[in-house]
Amino acid sequence: AYWQQLFADPEQLTPQRAMQAAVLLFSMARGQEALPWLAAARGKVGEQSDEDVDYWRLSGQAALMYGDTALAIEAFVHLIRSPDAEIADFDVLTRLLIDTQPELALQLSVEAWEKFDQPRYFMQALTLASLAQDLDRIDQLLARLDPGPEAGKYALAPFLDNAEFYRILGNQQQMRGKVAEARRTYQQGLQRLPTSAALRQALLWLLVDSRDVAGLRDLLAVHESQWAQ
């Protein structure tokens, strides 16, 4: 097509024209052909204007649709840096990074938690740090939680009914050799979440690994019949 020949000239291919061509190609069920034009124009795009955001959002959505992971990551990185960044942009980018670049996904989760103060982002960061066995990072994250009853941002309260929070905290304490603290953490978790199989197992293995025969006997004497149900 003649317009394709025009776009072969970099001077003619502006972000606005690339977007218009992409919309045209999508309307013709030829959306995959839009990716090269969108990618070719990206060097002329910033992050601040509405047009910039429109370009990156269209590019990201098209790249996701047609499996261009590299372009999708680039697009959503620009989107989260824009003034109009949406919570869904962080979700998509984290999903794209979590398997291949978990450290970046962790950093992004912390950034999303700081921006939106949603507990799920903190738990995602905490889980990634735990999987990496990065005890210092876990300490840093936990230190930022505000335990105060009137806490607003970064409050500890939303995590006190989360079994995974107690499991990760207890495991971190156990790996640092703080067996008594880990035991108290698991027990506190089970007091609030008595049906949590993950916390039961964590506490049982702690007692087994620490060769606490008396503690294991006392625990089973109290809970074994209930846990067996």
PDB file of all heavy atoms in Angstrom, residues 168-189:
ATOM      1  N   ILE A 168       5.645 -16.254  55.975  1.00  0.00           N
ATOM      2  CA  ILE A 168       6.896 -15.654  55.509  1.00  0.00           C
ATOM      3  C   ILE A 168       7.670 -15.048  56.675  1.00  0.00           C
ATOM      4  O   ILE A 168       8.898 -15.212  56.774  1.00  0.00           O
ATOM      5  CB  ILE A 168       6.603 -14.596  54.431  1.00  0.00           C
ATOM      6  CG1 ILE A 168       6.081 -15.275  53.160  1.00  0.00           C
ATOM      7  CG2 ILE A 168       7.855 -13.786  54.127  1.00  0.00           C
ATOM      8  CD1 ILE A 168       5.636 -14.302  52.085  1.00  0.00           C
ATOM      9  N   LEU A 169       6.977 -14.361  57.570  1.00  0.00           N
ATOM     10  CA  LEU A 169       7.639 -13.762  58.727  1.00  0.00           C
ATOM     11  C   LEU A 169       8.282 -14.843  59.593  1.00  0.00           C
ATOM     12  O   LEU A 169       9.450 -14.729  59.990  1.00  0.00           O
ATOM     13  CB  LEU A 169       6.636 -12.954  59.543  1.00  0.00           C
ATOM     14  CG  LEU A 169       7.142 -12.367  60.869  1.00  0.00           C
ATOM     15  CD1 LEU A 169       8.347 -11.472  60.642  1.00  0.00           C
ATOM     16  CD2 LEU A 169       6.015 -11.597  61.566  1.00  0.00           C
ATOM     17  N   GLY A 170       7.537 -15.909  59.865  1.00  0.00           N
ATOM     18  CA  GLY A 170       8.080 -16.988  60.691  1.00  0.00           C
ATOM     19  C   GLY A 170       9.255 -17.677  60.019  1.00  0.00           C
ATOM     20  O   GLY A 170      10.256 -18.008  60.674  1.00  0.00           O
ATOM     21  N   ASN A 171       9.155 -17.894  58.724  1.00  0.00           N
ATOM     22  CA  ASN A 171      10.249 -18.536  57.995  1.00  0.00           C
ATOM     23  C   ASN A 171      11.500 -17.666  58.024  1.00  0.00           C
ATOM     24  O   ASN A 171      12.626 -18.170  58.170  1.00  0.00           O
ATOM     25  CB  ASN A 171       9.828 -18.797  56.556  1.00  0.00           C
ATOM     26  CG  ASN A 171      10.896 -19.519  55.763  1.00  0.00           C
ATOM     27  OD1 ASN A 171      11.225 -20.667  56.026  1.00  0.00           O
ATOM     28  ND2 ASN A 171      11.458 -18.848  54.775  1.00  0.00           N
ATOM     29  N   GLN A 172      11.315 -16.356  57.881  1.00  0.00           N
ATOM     30  CA  GLN A 172      12.445 -15.434  57.932  1.00  0.00           C
ATOM     31  C   GLN A 172      13.113 -15.485  59.302  1.00  0.00           C
ATOM     32  O   GLN A 172      14.337 -15.525  59.414  1.00  0.00           O
ATOM     33  CB  GLN A 172      11.972 -14.024  57.590  1.00  0.00           C
ATOM     34  CG  GLN A 172      13.072 -12.986  57.560  1.00  0.00           C
ATOM     35  CD  GLN A 172      13.025 -12.056  58.769  1.00  0.00           C
ATOM     36  OE1 GLN A 172      12.380 -12.356  59.762  1.00  0.00           O
ATOM     37  NE2 GLN A 172      13.726 -10.962  58.685  1.00  0.00           N
ATOM     38  N   GLN A 173      12.307 -15.504  60.356  1.00  0.00           N
ATOM     39  CA  GLN A 173      12.858 -15.587  61.707  1.00  0.00           C
ATOM     40  C   GLN A 173      13.586 -16.917  61.913  1.00  0.00           C
ATOM     41  O   GLN A 173      14.666 -16.966  62.513  1.00  0.00           O
ATOM     42  CB  GLN A 173      11.726 -15.433  62.729  1.00  0.00           C
ATOM     43  CG  GLN A 173      11.102 -14.038  62.724  1.00  0.00           C
ATOM     44  CD  GLN A 173       9.783 -13.977  63.448  1.00  0.00           C
ATOM     45  OE1 GLN A 173       9.064 -14.985  63.559  1.00  0.00           O
ATOM     46  NE2 GLN A 173       9.430 -12.792  63.945  1.00  0.00           N
ATOM     47  N   GLN A 174      13.000 -17.980  61.391  1.00  0.00           N
ATOM     48  CA  GLN A 174      13.612 -19.301  61.526  1.00  0.00           C
ATOM     49  C   GLN A 174      14.966 -19.348  60.805  1.00  0.00           C
ATOM     50  O   GLN A 174      15.940 -19.893  61.324  1.00  0.00           O
ATOM     51  CB  GLN A 174      12.672 -20.360  60.959  1.00  0.00           C
ATOM     52  CG  GLN A 174      13.081 -21.785  61.261  1.00  0.00           C
ATOM     53  CD  GLN A 174      12.015 -22.780  60.816  1.00  0.00           C
ATOM     54  OE1 GLN A 174      10.917 -22.389  60.411  1.00  0.00           O
ATOM     55  NE2 GLN A 174      12.332 -24.056  60.896  1.00  0.00           N
ATOM     56  N   MET A 175      15.028 -18.757  59.599  1.00  0.00           N
ATOM     57  CA  MET A 175      16.273 -18.768  58.838  1.00  0.00           C
ATOM     58  C   MET A 175      17.351 -17.929  59.511  1.00  0.00           C
ATOM     59  O   MET A 175      18.550 -18.160  59.303  1.00  0.00           O
ATOM     60  CB  MET A 175      16.023 -18.269  57.412  1.00  0.00           C
ATOM     61  CG  MET A 175      15.193 -19.217  56.572  1.00  0.00           C
ATOM     62  SD  MET A 175      14.959 -18.652  54.870  1.00  0.00           S
ATOM     63  CE  MET A 175      16.626 -18.838  54.221  1.00  0.00           C
ATOM     64  N   ARG A 176      16.959 -16.984  60.339  1.00  0.00           N
ATOM     65  CA  ARG A 176      17.924 -16.184  61.094  1.00  0.00           C
ATOM     66  C   ARG A 176      18.263 -16.836  62.432  1.00  0.00           C
ATOM     67  O   ARG A 176      18.994 -16.252  63.241  1.00  0.00           O
ATOM     68  CB  ARG A 176      17.388 -14.772  61.314  1.00  0.00           C
ATOM     69  CG  ARG A 176      17.351 -13.912  60.057  1.00  0.00           C
ATOM     70  CD  ARG A 176      17.368 -12.448  60.401  1.00  0.00           C
ATOM     71  NE  ARG A 176      17.294 -11.560  59.268  1.00  0.00           N
ATOM     72  CZ  ARG A 176      18.320 -11.199  58.506  1.00  0.00           C
ATOM     73  NH1 ARG A 176      19.516 -11.713  58.747  1.00  0.00           N
ATOM     74  NH2 ARG A 176      18.161 -10.366  57.492  1.00  0.00           N
ATOM     75  N   GLY A 177      17.726 -18.025  62.656  1.00  0.00           N
ATOM     76  CA  GLY A 177      18.031 -18.740  63.895  1.00  0.00           C
ATOM     77  C   GLY A 177      17.193 -18.320  65.075  1.00  0.00           C
ATOM     78  O   GLY A 177      17.469 -18.723  66.218  1.00  0.00           O
ATOM     79  N   LYS A 178      16.148 -17.521  64.844  1.00  0.00           N
ATOM     80  CA  LYS A 178      15.290 -17.048  65.936  1.00  0.00           C
ATOM     81  C   LYS A 178      14.096 -17.998  66.069  1.00  0.00           C
ATOM     82  O   LYS A 178      12.954 -17.665  65.745  1.00  0.00           O
ATOM     83  CB  LYS A 178      14.831 -15.626  65.656  1.00  0.00           C
ATOM     84  CG  LYS A 178      15.988 -14.635  65.516  1.00  0.00           C
ATOM     85  CD  LYS A 178      15.482 -13.233  65.161  1.00  0.00           C
ATOM     86  CE  LYS A 178      16.629 -12.251  65.026  1.00  0.00           C
ATOM     87  NZ  LYS A 178      16.155 -10.881  64.663  1.00  0.00           N
ATOM     88  N   VAL A 179      14.386 -19.183  66.561  1.00  0.00           N
ATOM     89  CA  VAL A 179      13.381 -20.242  66.583  1.00  0.00           C
ATOM     90  C   VAL A 179      12.209 -19.883  67.491  1.00  0.00           C
ATOM     91  O   VAL A 179      11.043 -20.123  67.139  1.00  0.00           O
ATOM     92  CB  VAL A 179      14.034 -21.576  67.011  1.00  0.00           C
ATOM     93  CG1 VAL A 179      12.975 -22.673  67.158  1.00  0.00           C
ATOM     94  CG2 VAL A 179      15.088 -21.998  66.002  1.00  0.00           C
ATOM     95  N   ALA A 180      12.491 -19.331  68.649  1.00  0.00           N
ATOM     96  CA  ALA A 180      11.414 -18.993  69.582  1.00  0.00           C
ATOM     97  C   ALA A 180      10.491 -17.930  68.985  1.00  0.00           C
ATOM     98  O   ALA A 180       9.259 -18.017  69.112  1.00  0.00           O
ATOM     99  CB  ALA A 180      11.997 -18.506  70.907  1.00  0.00           C
ATOM    100  N   GLU A 181      11.081 -16.936  68.299  1.00  0.00           N
ATOM    101  CA  GLU A 181      10.260 -15.907  67.666  1.00  0.00           C
ATOM    102  C   GLU A 181       9.413 -16.501  66.549  1.00  0.00           C
ATOM    103  O   GLU A 181       8.236 -16.146  66.382  1.00  0.00           O
ATOM    104  CB  GLU A 181      11.148 -14.795  67.108  1.00  0.00           C
ATOM    105  CG  GLU A 181      11.768 -13.899  68.163  1.00  0.00           C
ATOM    106  CD  GLU A 181      12.531 -12.739  67.548  1.00  0.00           C
ATOM    107  OE1 GLU A 181      12.195 -12.346  66.409  1.00  0.00           O
ATOM    108  OE2 GLU A 181      13.443 -12.210  68.210  1.00  0.00           O
ATOM    109  N   ALA A 182      10.002 -17.387  65.774  1.00  0.00           N
ATOM    110  CA  ALA A 182       9.263 -18.021  64.684  1.00  0.00           C
ATOM    111  C   ALA A 182       8.089 -18.817  65.227  1.00  0.00           C
ATOM    112  O   ALA A 182       6.977 -18.777  64.674  1.00  0.00           O
ATOM    113  CB  ALA A 182      10.194 -18.924  63.880  1.00  0.00           C
ATOM    114  N   ARG A 183       8.320 -19.519  66.317  1.00  0.00           N
ATOM    115  CA  ARG A 183       7.231 -20.304  66.918  1.00  0.00           C
ATOM    116  C   ARG A 183       6.096 -19.396  67.366  1.00  0.00           C
ATOM    117  O   ARG A 183       4.919 -19.685  67.122  1.00  0.00           O
ATOM    118  CB  ARG A 183       7.769 -21.118  68.105  1.00  0.00           C
ATOM    119  CG  ARG A 183       6.702 -21.957  68.796  1.00  0.00           C
ATOM    120  CD  ARG A 183       7.298 -22.838  69.867  1.00  0.00           C
ATOM    121  NE  ARG A 183       6.265 -23.582  70.573  1.00  0.00           N
ATOM    122  CZ  ARG A 183       6.506 -24.477  71.514  1.00  0.00           C
ATOM    123  NH1 ARG A 183       7.755 -24.764  71.849  1.00  0.00           N
ATOM    124  NH2 ARG A 183       5.522 -25.099  72.119  1.00  0.00           N
ATOM    125  N   ARG A 184       6.449 -18.283  68.006  1.00  0.00           N
ATOM    126  CA  ARG A 184       5.400 -17.345  68.447  1.00  0.00           C
ATOM    127  C   ARG A 184       4.646 -16.773  67.253  1.00  0.00           C
ATOM    128  O   ARG A 184       3.421 -16.589  67.311  1.00  0.00           O
ATOM    129  CB  ARG A 184       6.033 -16.217  69.278  1.00  0.00           C
ATOM    130  CG  ARG A 184       6.428 -16.629  70.674  1.00  0.00           C
ATOM    131  CD  ARG A 184       6.704 -15.418  71.550  1.00  0.00           C
ATOM    132  NE  ARG A 184       7.865 -14.664  71.088  1.00  0.00           N
ATOM    133  CZ  ARG A 184       9.117 -14.916  71.470  1.00  0.00           C
ATOM    134  NH1 ARG A 184       9.364 -15.906  72.306  1.00  0.00           N
ATOM    135  NH2 ARG A 184      10.115 -14.179  71.022  1.00  0.00           N
ATOM    136  N   THR A 185       5.363 -16.496  66.176  1.00  0.00           N
ATOM    137  CA  THR A 185       4.710 -15.953  64.980  1.00  0.00           C
ATOM    138  C   THR A 185       3.699 -16.943  64.417  1.00  0.00           C
ATOM    139  O   THR A 185       2.560 -16.577  64.101  1.00  0.00           O
ATOM    140  CB  THR A 185       5.765 -15.622  63.909  1.00  0.00           C
ATOM    141  OG1 THR A 185       6.568 -14.539  64.379  1.00  0.00           O
ATOM    142  CG2 THR A 185       5.104 -15.217  62.602  1.00  0.00           C
ATOM    143  N   TYR A 186       4.098 -18.200  64.281  1.00  0.00           N
ATOM    144  CA  TYR A 186       3.174 -19.212  63.754  1.00  0.00           C
ATOM    145  C   TYR A 186       1.982 -19.400  64.699  1.00  0.00           C
ATOM    146  O   TYR A 186       0.840 -19.546  64.239  1.00  0.00           O
ATOM    147  CB  TYR A 186       3.896 -20.548  63.576  1.00  0.00           C
ATOM    148  CG  TYR A 186       4.969 -20.538  62.511  1.00  0.00           C
ATOM    149  CD1 TYR A 186       6.170 -21.218  62.706  1.00  0.00           C
ATOM    150  CD2 TYR A 186       4.796 -19.859  61.312  1.00  0.00           C
ATOM    151  CE1 TYR A 186       7.163 -21.226  61.735  1.00  0.00           C
ATOM    152  CE2 TYR A 186       5.776 -19.857  60.337  1.00  0.00           C
ATOM    153  CZ  TYR A 186       6.961 -20.545  60.553  1.00  0.00           C
ATOM    154  OH  TYR A 186       7.937 -20.548  59.589  1.00  0.00           O
ATOM    155  N   GLN A 187       2.244 -19.379  65.993  1.00  0.00           N
ATOM    156  CA  GLN A 187       1.158 -19.563  66.950  1.00  0.00           C
ATOM    157  C   GLN A 187       0.186 -18.379  66.912  1.00  0.00           C
ATOM    158  O   GLN A 187      -1.032 -18.571  66.982  1.00  0.00           O
ATOM    159  CB  GLN A 187       1.739 -19.732  68.363  1.00  0.00           C
ATOM    160  CG  GLN A 187       2.435 -21.075  68.563  1.00  0.00           C
ATOM    161  CD  GLN A 187       3.155 -21.171  69.895  1.00  0.00           C
ATOM    162  OE1 GLN A 187       3.613 -20.172  70.441  1.00  0.00           O
ATOM    163  NE2 GLN A 187       3.259 -22.385  70.411  1.00  0.00           N
ATOM    164  N   GLN A 188       0.731 -17.166  66.792  1.00  0.00           N
ATOM    165  CA  GLN A 188      -0.133 -15.994  66.670  1.00  0.00           C
ATOM    166  C   GLN A 188      -0.986 -16.080  65.410  1.00  0.00           C
ATOM    167  O   GLN A 188      -2.176 -15.741  65.417  1.00  0.00           O
ATOM    168  CB  GLN A 188       0.721 -14.730  66.647  1.00  0.00           C
ATOM    169  CG  GLN A 188       1.356 -14.389  67.980  1.00  0.00           C
ATOM    170  CD  GLN A 188       2.402 -13.291  67.866  1.00  0.00           C
ATOM    171  OE1 GLN A 188       2.647 -12.775  66.767  1.00  0.00           O
ATOM    172  NE2 GLN A 188       3.038 -12.940  68.973  1.00  0.00           N
ATOM    173  N   GLY A 189      -0.361 -16.534  64.333  1.00  0.00           N
ATOM    174  CA  GLY A 189      -1.111 -16.689  63.093  1.00  0.00           C
ATOM    175  C   GLY A 189      -2.224 -17.703  63.227  1.00  0.00           C
ATOM    176  O   GLY A 189      -3.355 -17.479  62.755  1.00  0.00           O
TER     177      GLY A 189
END
